[in-house]
Amino acid sequence: MLSVDQLNTSLFELQDCVTKAKAKAIINELENLMEKAGNALRVNSNEQFEMVYQGSEKEKIVSSLNFKSSSGELESFCLMWSLRPFINDDVIHQALRQLMEKDVAIAIGPQSSGIAHVISNVVNELHIPLLSFATDPALSALEFPYFIRMTQSDYFQMYAIADLIEHYGWRDIIAIFVDDEYGRNGISALGDALAKKRAKILYKAALASGASKNDINDLLVEVDMMESRVFVVHVNPDSGLNVFSVAKSIGMMSKGYVWIATDWLPSVLDSKGPKDSSTIDLLQGVLALRHHTADSENKHAFMSRWKVLKNVGNSSLNSYAFYAYDSIWLAAYALDSFFNQSGNLTFFSNPMINGSAHRSSLRVSQAGQQLLQILLGTKYMGLSGEIRFDSEKNLVHPAFDILNIVGTGSKNIGYWSNYSGLSVVSPETLYLKPSNTSSSSQQLGAVIWPGNVSEVPRGWVFPNNGKPMQIVVPNRVSYKEFVAADKKPPGVQGFCIDVFEAALKLLPYPVPHKYVLYGDGIRNPEFNRLVYDVADNRFDAAVGDITIVTNRTRIVDFTQPFMESGLVVVVPIRKVKSSAWAFLKPFTIQMWCVTGAFFLLVGIVIWILEHRVNTEFRGPPTQQLITICWFSFSTMFFSHRENTLSTLGRFVLLVWLFVVLIINSSYTASLTSILTVQQLSSRIEGINSLIASNDPIGIQDGSFAHDYLVRELNIAASRIKTLKSQESYADALERGPNNGGVAAIVDELPYVQVLLSSSNCNFQVVGQEFTKSGWGFAFQRDSPLAVDLSTAILQLSENGELQRIHDKWLENRGCPSQSGLAETSRLSLKTFWGLFLICGSACFLALVMFFSRVCYQFSRYAPEVVREDESEAIEQVRSRRLSSTSFKNYLDFVDRKEAEIKESFKRKNSIESNRSQASRSHSLEKESSSSA
């Protein structure tokens, strides 16, 4: 057992807030605890390495850990935890020696990651369960089977920080960490977590353990010259506050900075008791994470007893003290359960680990595996929350409080848990609901940032190292309207440069930059290589006519497109010589035949419908035939003289005239196009016909079109010719494929529009754009400037400035629309079959209604009209009518005028009326005779 004098010699590093008198009182309390526990419990404080020794009776162990102890033994143990790391590491070495020399059943501690790695290897050999407070994520149960973490791993803490970074929209951070296992492994986990959020650690600033203020000053001055203003501090308490002290002295705790501290900072502040105003003043606006310990009645009762504990003074407890308290209880529960199962603590020497003299005293615990399983299976509610372990021997439900240090203390702005992410609701409440980690559910309270501002900092600035941004610009030799070298400052000019400069003026901060030409000026540079150089950090950005394509977006970030683009096919055109039969070209032969047939059909239908009522459609057969032809074809020009009298005839004529109007308009438009526009001089009609041919294809030097044609469209590379200038474009197209030229050129639409306007419209785009893309400015991955410039480009588009810049450099001198090229398909029946269907249906419907009416009339028709004095013969005539009916009589009936038919019906109705009156008179006479 360590003496009080030995402990006192290691307290010289205790900070001002923990006096030596207080430390001595705390050690006295620890001595009281060890005197009562005897050999059942031995505690070595500092990095909190505690050992539960073998005892002769389980009652002695349990009683020594009794929560109801009047002298507050466990409370003293918790207070000792608040002293870490103020005690010298020699204590740890002595504790390790005791571990190797004594028969230990359960080991508790340490919190130091370096010591935890060493002790974990030892307890693995000795089969001793280790209840550790080390947060190093590299300490895993897979490597160390007897390692049990009694606090939360930094793995979860770093994911909480990554969620914070994502929540506020930052992309780059600077990590300041202590250069040991604890710091390095924690920051490594942070890097992995940020990568999943598309963020990254811009720079890792390592501090030696116990670094001086001069060393810290040099480090902070270095990182302050970088662009990120988000700092994550993951250090030991001995140098952590010095980081903020130096940061404040050099102006890094002002507006625009973001400081995030890991759990070390709340642990220091919570263990100090009343907050020191000078310390709090250093930390204004800092965000910090603290291990979340759930509120409970046991916790409140413990805190109440803590306040009245003698010799405590103003000392307080941090979260590690609660974990330490729960660790003692967990060990007690496990030993109690072990002895209740008739367990026996025995040890034996293992020759495999006693190969040297200094290992001769090592003894392996036979009960180690059983105690390990009991510890992992124990479940209870401790002061820190639910004590239960997962498959990786970590506590379940990892959660952290998110604190904002402001004013005279800190305020809780929310929580993080791996169950629901960021929330303003406590994790215990969220555990009762379904998990929800969607971005819309991530919420935090209001934050006061450094500089006493509430607006979320942008998180980055331009590097304060005196170097302007290096912006690479393609040194083009063709299409210099877009970008080209210039003798005047800033050394470049063109449409793309003006757009970039206009966008920069809309940013709320200055962007010092310098343009660097890329290329030899003899030929266009390779744009893919230019983009790769930006990705490789040779340049900060690229400005120019850079097409946004898939393989480039994988390595750099592009802004919003400022120019629409897409690949098109350009071919030469020629004037068409007129033909004597050009007037027949608008329609196909099939279309001409069907149109003529419908003219005759409509004429016949109108004749049938008008023949009985309209004298203009009657007469000798020859005259009627001429009338049919004249009427039908005269409707083509709406010059028919015959009037239609029947309702059905007018209906059919109305439908037909609508059809004729459409046909006339289409014919006129098609004929005009054929007689006025130019024709292609090649058979290439678009990208599909170009692929199917074997003709050579021209592309612009340095364009991505080469890779696209070869890799995506499987066009042989031997067919592709690289053209270096606009003059070579025109020359290759005019010579054609048979004279060493090309059949077509594939290039982006903006270049083609300039080419057409400068070539007197001797070339033409055929087909549609077969790719859709745009031009954008390229930046290194996750550059925040790309986002801000995208917003600025949208503003330029909305206020019309982008169009004004376009008109300045790219005046609209394009060729007239050539959409009606002569090679366009002639008008066929397929285009008008709907109209003909409507017209034919109208004719059929009119004929059905007409003949239905005629048949009805014919059924009532009598071949001769009887006189009044022949009423007796009416029945005979009626019986004879049907038998004498024939098709000839039917045709004769149809040929008769409508007026004659109506007159016959009138006479017939009159005779039938007379007959009825005579029959009634005869009946009355008979009735009179019989009455008489």
Side-chain angles (χ1 to χ4, degrees):
M1 182 180 299
L2 296 176
S3 67
V4 177
D5 292 336
Q6 287 176 309
L7 287 174
N8 281 333
T9 58
S10 61
L11 289 176
F12 65 92
E13 293 179 5
L14 192 61
Q15 294 186 347
D16 295 338
C17 60
V18 182
T19 63
K20 292 184 178 180
K22 183 187 298 183
K24 188 173 182 179
I26 293 170
I27 295 172
N28 289 334
E29 289 293 331
L30 179 61
E31 287 296 314
N32 292 334
L33 172 62
M34 289 190 290
E35 288 175 2
K36 289 193 174 184
N39 289 329
L41 174 66
R42 181 160 302 195
V43 179
N44 290 308
S45 182
N46 167 28
E47 294 294 323
Q48 299 314 304
F49 185 82
E50 289 82 29
M51 295 169 288
V52 178
Y53 290 94
Q54 177 186 10
S56 58
E57 299 178 359
K58 64 177 181 178
E59 292 83 358
K60 189 173 183 180
I61 297 175
V62 177
S63 64
S64 66
L65 298 172
N66 196 335
F67 181 79
K68 298 179 181 179
S69 175
S70 59
S71 60
E73 296 91 345
L74 295 183
E75 285 84 345
S76 297
F77 171 75
C78 294
L79 182 58
M80 286 304 301
W81 186 256
S82 299
L83 288 176
R84 60 98 193 158
F86 302 128
I87 302 178
N88 195 285
D89 285 344
D90 291 340
V91 176
I92 298 299
H93 300 153
Q94 295 179 37
L96 181 59
R97 185 173 65 252
Q98 291 195 25
L99 172 65
M100 301 173 66
E101 295 175 354
K102 304 292 184 179
D103 292 335
V104 179
I106 299 175
I108 303 177
Q111 197 255 347
S112 169
S113 296
I115 300 299
H117 277 276
V118 175
I119 295 180
S120 295
N121 282 292
V122 174
V123 296
N124 278 354
E125 297 291 341
L126 302 182
H127 296 181
I128 300 172
L130 174 65
L131 304 180
S132 176
F133 308 103
T135 59
D136 183 358
L139 288 166
S140 66
L142 184 63
E143 183 179 2
F144 305 109
Y146 286 87
F147 176 84
I148 302 176
R149 199 189 307 272
M150 282 302 298
T151 185
Q152 301 297 346
S153 169
D154 279 341
Y155 171 87
F156 299 108
Q157 182 171 209
M158 297 309 168
Y159 270 80
I161 294 176
D163 282 348
L164 271 176
I165 301 298
E166 181 186 38
H167 179 72
Y168 290 111
W170 302 315
R171 286 291 176 266
D172 295 331
I173 69 139
I174 294 176
I176 301 174
F177 63 98
V178 61
D179 193 12
D180 59 12
E181 289 89 346
Y182 162 73
R184 289 190 297 269
N185 294 334
I187 295 304
S188 177
L190 177 61
D192 295 340
L194 290 174
K196 295 181 180 180
K197 308 291 184 181
R198 287 205 63 184
K200 69 178 185 296
I201 299 177
L202 182 67
Y203 183 73
K204 296 180 179 180
L207 276 176
S209 181
S212 65
K213 284 192 173 183
N214 288 335
D215 294 336
I216 296 174
N217 183 81
D218 294 341
L219 183 67
L220 292 184
V221 169
E222 179 184 0
V223 299
D224 192 39
M225 299 178 68
M226 301 178 183
E227 67 180 42
S228 178
R229 283 296 179 263
V230 182
F231 301 95
V232 175
V233 183
H234 186 56
V235 296
N236 288 327
D238 57 349
S239 57
L241 293 178
N242 288 337
V243 172
F244 290 103
S245 176
V246 174
K248 185 174 180 62
S249 66
I250 62 176
M252 293 180 65
M253 297 298 294
S254 56
K255 180 180 178 181
Y257 289 86
V258 177
W259 292 89
I260 302 174
T262 54
D263 64 290
W264 67 267
L265 180 57
S267 298
V268 170
L269 297 179
D270 290 344
S271 63
K272 284 179 176 295
K275 302 297 186 293
D276 183 5
S277 60
S278 60
T279 301
I280 295 298
D281 186 57
L282 296 176
L283 305 171
Q284 292 296 305
V286 174
L287 293 183
L289 277 71
R290 178 176 63 194
H291 292 279
H292 176 72
T293 56
D295 286 334
S296 64
E297 293 182 1
N298 287 342
K299 181 178 177 181
H300 290 299
F302 175 83
M303 295 301 295
S304 297
R305 288 193 303 276
W306 174 257
K307 292 179 181 179
V308 299
L309 187 65
K310 64 178 181 178
N311 295 328
V312 172
N314 294 325
S315 297
S316 184
L317 294 175
N318 57 41
S319 58
Y320 287 95
F322 297 123
Y323 288 121
Y325 184 91
D326 291 339
S327 300
I328 298 296
W329 272 101
L330 178 62
Y333 283 135
L335 289 171
D336 185 49
S337 177
F338 175 78
F339 289 123
N340 285 334
Q341 298 174 18
S342 302
N344 185 23
L345 293 176
T346 58
F347 299 85
F348 65 94
S349 297
N350 188 348
M352 300 296 296
I353 62 175
N354 289 334
S356 60
H358 70 277
R359 293 185 179 181
S360 59
S361 61
L362 293 181
R363 287 158 54 84
V364 179
S365 172
Q366 284 187 322
Q369 186 62 32
Q370 184 179 356
L371 280 172
L372 176 65
Q373 297 305 318
I374 293 175
L375 287 168
L376 295 176
T378 301
K379 302 176 184 178
Y380 72 97
M381 290 300 299
L383 297 185
S384 60
E386 182 181 8
I387 303 300
R388 180 162 59 90
F389 299 96
D390 59 18
S391 58
E392 296 181 359
K393 301 175 185 175
N394 292 319
L395 290 173
V396 298
H397 300 321
F400 292 86
D401 300 335
I402 301 176
L403 308 178
N404 180 206
I405 301 175
V406 61
T408 59
S410 62
K411 67 173 183 177
N412 192 325
I413 62 169
Y415 307 89
W416 180 91
S417 69
N418 69 331
Y419 185 75
S420 295
L422 300 174
S423 174
V424 294
V425 181
S426 66
E428 290 75 27
T429 302
L430 295 176
Y431 294 149
L432 304 176
K433 302 177 181 179
S435 176
N436 183 7
T437 57
S438 62
S439 57
S440 60
S441 67
Q442 305 299 291
Q443 298 179 352
L444 288 175
V447 178
I448 301 299
W449 303 96
N452 197 32
V453 295
S454 57
E455 181 183 359
V456 177
R458 189 170 68 244
W460 67 278
V461 294
F462 285 97
N464 188 22
N465 53 14
K467 296 181 181 178
M469 286 187 64
Q470 299 294 304
I471 299 179
V472 62
V473 177
N475 189 10
R476 297 192 60 90
V477 298
S478 61
Y479 300 108
K480 294 187 176 182
E481 297 90 341
F482 297 106
V483 60
D486 187 20
K487 295 181 179 179
K488 300 178 181 179
V492 289
Q493 65 176 355
F495 168 73
C496 300
I497 301 301
D498 282 5
V499 172
F500 182 72
E501 291 290 344
L504 288 182
K505 293 178 181 179
L506 296 178
L507 299 181
Y509 47 86
V511 182
H513 59 281
K514 177 183 178 182
Y515 294 111
V516 179
L517 288 172
Y518 191 90
D520 54 13
I522 300 175
R523 57 182 298 180
N524 290 335
E526 178 64 42
F527 279 74
N528 281 338
R529 188 175 301 168
L530 181 149
V531 173
Y532 288 139
D533 285 347
V534 174
D536 291 341
N537 204 25
R538 293 190 177 95
F539 304 100
D540 297 310
V543 171
D545 47 342
I546 305 170
T547 308
I548 304 173
V549 293
T550 304
N551 63 327
R552 295 174 183 172
T553 59
R554 295 192 181 104
I555 58 176
V556 296
D557 283 348
F558 281 95
T559 63
Q560 172 81 13
F562 61 88
M563 169 74 86
E564 293 184 358
S565 180
L567 292 178
V568 294
V569 178
V570 182
V571 297
I573 55 178
R574 58 181 173 83
K575 291 288 184 180
V576 180
K577 295 182 179 180
S578 299
S579 170
W581 302 101
F583 68 92
L584 295 176
K585 291 184 178 180
F587 289 164
T588 61
I589 296 176
Q590 186 183 28
M591 180 65 182
W592 280 117
C593 293
V594 173
T595 302
F598 260 84
F599 271 106
L600 294 176
L601 173 64
V602 171
I604 293 173
V605 171
I606 295 295
W607 177 82
I608 293 174
L609 299 176
E610 294 289 322
H611 179 69
R612 302 183 71 193
V613 297
N614 195 337
T615 57
E616 293 182 352
F617 289 89
R618 299 186 67 83
T622 303
Q623 180 182 347
Q624 294 185 43
L625 182 61
I626 293 174
T627 300
I628 291 173
C629 294
W630 166 255
F631 178 83
S632 60
F633 286 102
S634 63
T635 57
M636 180 185 302
F637 311 102
F638 305 98
S639 61
H640 53 284
R641 295 175 299 176
E642 295 79 8
N643 294 323
T644 52
L645 302 180
S646 66
T647 302
L648 293 176
R650 291 175 177 175
F651 168 69
V652 172
L653 182 61
L654 179 64
V655 174
W656 173 244
L657 290 178
F658 173 74
V659 175
V660 169
L661 175 65
I662 300 300
I663 292 176
N664 278 344
S665 301
S666 302
Y667 176 85
T668 303
S670 181
L671 181 62
T672 302
S673 175
I674 290 174
L675 295 178
T676 58
V677 304
Q678 298 168 323
Q679 266 190 340
L680 303 176
S681 61
S682 72
R683 63 179 182 276
I684 305 300
E685 299 179 356
I687 187 61
N688 292 328
S689 57
L690 183 62
I691 295 173
S693 71
N694 292 317
D695 295 333
I697 304 170
I699 64 168
Q700 185 181 169
D701 188 21
S703 172
F704 77 98
H706 182 279
D707 290 342
Y708 183 84
L709 295 177
V710 173
R711 297 178 182 177
E712 301 296 332
L713 302 183
N714 297 319
I715 294 177
S718 59
R719 292 179 55 191
I720 299 177
K721 291 187 175 182
T722 300
L723 306 175
K724 298 182 180 180
S725 65
Q726 294 170 243
E727 292 75 15
S728 61
Y729 268 39
D731 179 65
L733 286 173
E734 289 172 355
R735 285 190 287 121
N738 298 326
N739 297 315
V742 296
I745 286 177
V746 174
D747 206 349
E748 296 181 73
L749 185 59
Y751 303 126
V752 170
Q753 290 173 339
V754 174
L755 173 68
L756 297 182
S757 63
S758 62
S759 63
N760 296 321
C761 299
N762 291 325
F763 312 111
Q764 181 59 49
V765 175
V766 292
Q768 302 295 323
E769 292 181 65
F770 55 92
T771 65
K772 290 290 185 180
S773 59
W775 292 352
F777 305 130
F779 291 85
Q780 295 177 11
R781 293 285 288 180
D782 302 319
S783 172
L785 190 58
V787 178
D788 290 350
L789 274 179
S790 294
T791 303
I793 291 172
L794 289 176
Q795 291 178 334
L796 291 176
S797 178
E798 293 171 357
N799 61 25
E801 182 64 22
L802 189 60
Q803 184 62 43
R804 285 190 287 271
I805 298 174
H806 180 277
D807 295 340
K808 171 186 174 182
W809 289 97
L810 309 171
E811 185 179 349
N812 189 12
R813 297 171 295 170
C815 297
S817 174
Q818 301 289 331
S819 59
L821 287 175
E823 75 275 5
T824 303
S825 299
R826 300 163 68 187
L827 299 176
S828 64
L829 180 62
K830 183 179 180 180
T831 308
F832 298 99
W833 72 269
L835 287 174
F836 288 128
L837 177 62
I838 293 173
C839 184
S841 300
C843 292
F844 177 77
L845 180 62
L847 290 176
V848 169
M849 295 176 65
F850 173 79
F851 283 109
S852 298
R853 182 170 178 270
V854 169
C855 290
Y856 174 72
Q857 291 177 342
F858 184 71
S859 66
R860 298 176 55 199
Y861 173 71
E864 57 182 0
V865 180
V866 295
R867 296 181 177 86
E868 294 180 4
D869 55 317
E870 298 174 338
S871 57
E872 294 83 0
I874 288 178
E875 295 298 330
Q876 296 178 356
V877 173
R878 184 173 296 172
S879 63
R880 217 172 37 244
R881 182 177 58 193
L882 295 177
S883 61
S884 62
T885 300
S886 65
F887 183 70
K888 183 176 180 300
N889 293 334
Y890 179 75
L891 292 180
D892 291 340
F893 177 79
V894 172
D895 189 56
R896 294 182 66 179
K897 291 184 177 180
E898 184 75 16
E900 295 178 3
I901 301 300
K902 291 182 178 180
E903 183 64 27
S904 298
F905 285 149
K906 288 180 180 180
R907 292 172 55 194
K908 178 180 177 182
N909 292 337
S910 177
I911 293 173
E912 290 180 350
S913 176
N914 293 336
R915 176 177 171 276
S916 298
Q917 292 178 1
S919 297
R920 285 195 298 271
S921 299
H922 182 69
S923 299
L924 291 174
E925 290 176 357
K926 285 185 178 182
E927 290 178 0
S928 301
S929 301
S930 59
S931 302

